[in-house]
Amino acid sequence: MTKEEAMISLSFHSGRNSDISDPRWINGFLGSLRKFNKDIVESNFINVMECLKTISEAFQKDKIDREVMTDIYGI
């Protein structure tokens, strides 16, 4: 996974991506929780962790990308 792919994936998991017709928006981490059912999709959590691992060096910088932080706070 590239950094750009990880950032796009985080935007879908947080529900902040503007492409709401993409199935990743509904089936992402927050999208799957919004159904208010008891089915928690573990692979979403694992994917969020993989995304964070991929962009982890961004957290070492003096300034962190605002979009990334907003997605993380959203999740």
Side-chain angles (χ1 to χ4, degrees):
M1 175 184 311
T2 66
K3 291 178 187 179
E4 184 162 321
E5 290 170 336
M7 292 174 68
I8 291 170
S9 186
L10 280 176
S11 74
F12 278 111
H13 283 301
S14 69
R16 292 189 62 248
N17 194 296
S18 61
D19 186 6
I20 61 171
S21 62
D22 191 306
R24 294 179 291 177
W25 199 88
I26 296 170
N27 299 321
F29 188 78
L30 282 187
S32 65
L33 295 178
R34 287 187 179 124
K35 298 173 189 172
F36 299 111
N37 58 17
K38 295 182 181 181
D39 296 331
I40 299 197
V41 183
E42 184 179 356
S43 62
N44 283 338
F45 179 76
I46 292 169
N47 187 260
V48 168
M49 292 298 113
E50 288 173 356
C51 291
L52 293 175
K53 184 177 178 181
T54 301
I55 62 170
S56 63
E57 68 182 40
F59 302 119
Q60 312 273 327
K61 298 181 180 179
D62 291 336
K63 293 184 180 181
I64 299 173
D65 185 304
R66 180 185 330 192
E67 297 299 316
V68 171
M69 287 310 300
T70 304
D71 288 336
I72 294 169
Y73 282 134
I75 294 170

